[in-house]
Amino acid sequence: MTVKLSTGLRNAMAGLVGFAGAINGGVIEVYTGPQPLSADAAPTGTLLGRATLNGAAWNAGDPTNGLVLDAATGGGVAKPSAAVWKLVGLAAGNAGWFRFRANAVDDGSVSTTLVRIDGAIAVGGGDAKFSTVAITVGQPVTIDVFSFSVPAQ
């Protein structure tokens, strides 16, 4: 498993906010290459695009068009099946990893307070399942499945 949680997200999960409460309204940023060693680290690779609700415009601090997870069940949360999470390519390249970041100003610098989760991308596998890993400028790509579970043991 390649999922990496930032210190800020782990603190939110251990406190009163919880995973979905901390991340809802945020976006998924998609990058080329391997993911950083930690979700506290600055991103690596080229930013290929940002996934939002229906691929619409999103601004940090405003939940409009941010991604929202279903209510928790069985110890986990998931992308609502009816929601369309889509990115429109900003640069061309092959998606290697993602950063799901909260609806907060995040300049991408090293941080132990910002809420972030990093993971691998694949078609039919990986931590986030995309319709394709080949990102082209201006072309939409959907995120078909996204889920996060807290292990029972």
Side-chain angles (χ1 to χ4, degrees):
M1 182 178 258
T2 58
V3 169
K4 297 174 183 174
L5 308 179
S6 69
T7 303
L9 178 55
R10 292 181 314 171
N11 288 341
M13 291 172 62
L16 299 174
V17 177
F19 180 85
I23 206 94
N24 276 347
V27 295
I28 295 178
E29 297 178 329
V30 176
Y31 294 88
T32 60
Q35 67 193 82
L37 296 177
S38 162
D40 291 336
T44 57
T46 300
L47 175 63
L48 297 174
R50 282 184 189 87
T52 63
L53 184 63
N54 297 312
W58 175 89
N59 293 304
D62 181 353
T64 304
N65 301 320
L67 306 177
V68 177
L69 298 161
D70 265 341
T73 181
V77 291
K79 171 192 165 293
S81 59
V84 177
W85 290 11
K86 179 175 23 177
L87 70 82
V88 178
L90 299 174
N94 287 327
W97 68 280
F98 71 88
R99 173 165 285 171
F100 195 156
R101 65 183 191 90
N103 185 9
V105 175
D106 182 346
D107 66 2
S109 60
V110 174
S111 173
T112 58
T113 60
L114 290 169
V115 172
R116 303 167 172 164
I117 180 172
D118 293 354
I121 293 173
V123 173
D127 302 312
K129 297 166 183 68
F130 280 42
S131 56
T132 181
V133 295
I135 308 297
T136 304
V137 175
Q139 295 300 308
V141 175
T142 59
I143 299 174
D144 301 326
V145 176
F146 182 90
S147 64
F148 178 81
S149 297
V150 177
Q153 296 180 359

